[in-house]
């Protein structure tokens, strides 16, 4: 199954501009910008340094889904 093209481009950009562990400020901004391109969730940043969480709320109730990623 092919990767959705914008996700592929994000992945490529993240690998093209790596940052040292603990100094991922530009990476965090890039991820936030990517998320906001497609939605306007609540963004929680500064988690453990430059960590980011996006909280999506929908009008319909349903199961809760959590996705966790690490970039190291």
């Amino acid at each position: 199954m092919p990767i959705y093209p914008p996700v592929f481009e994000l992945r490529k950009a993240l690998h093209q501009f790596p940052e040292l562990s603990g100094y991922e400020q530009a990476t965090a901004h890039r991820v936030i910008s990517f998320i906001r391109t497609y939605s306007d969730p609540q963004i929680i940043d500064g988690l453990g340094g430059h960590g980011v969480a996006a909280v999506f709320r929908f009008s319909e109730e349903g199961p809760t889904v959590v996705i966790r990623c690490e970039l190291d």
Side-chain angles (χ1 to χ4, degrees):
M1 179 173 173
I3 297 175
Y4 183 59
V7 174
F8 179 77
E9 291 301 317
L10 174 64
R11 179 184 178 276
K12 194 164 105 176
L14 293 175
H15 283 87
Q16 190 173 11
F17 302 101
E19 296 181 279
L20 294 173
S21 180
Y23 298 92
E24 304 93 340
Q25 184 174 5
T27 298
H29 287 293
R30 191 179 307 274
V31 169
I32 291 169
S33 177
F34 178 83
I35 291 169
R36 286 192 170 146
T37 298
Y38 299 96
S39 183
D40 189 26
Q42 174 189 358
I43 299 289
I44 304 167
D45 58 357
L47 300 172
H50 298 292
V52 175
V55 179
F56 297 87
R57 300 196 188 281
F58 298 94
S59 58
E60 297 180 25
E61 290 194 28
T64 299
V65 177
V66 176
I67 300 172
R68 180 179 182 271
C69 302
E70 289 188 31
L71 299 172
D72 56 338

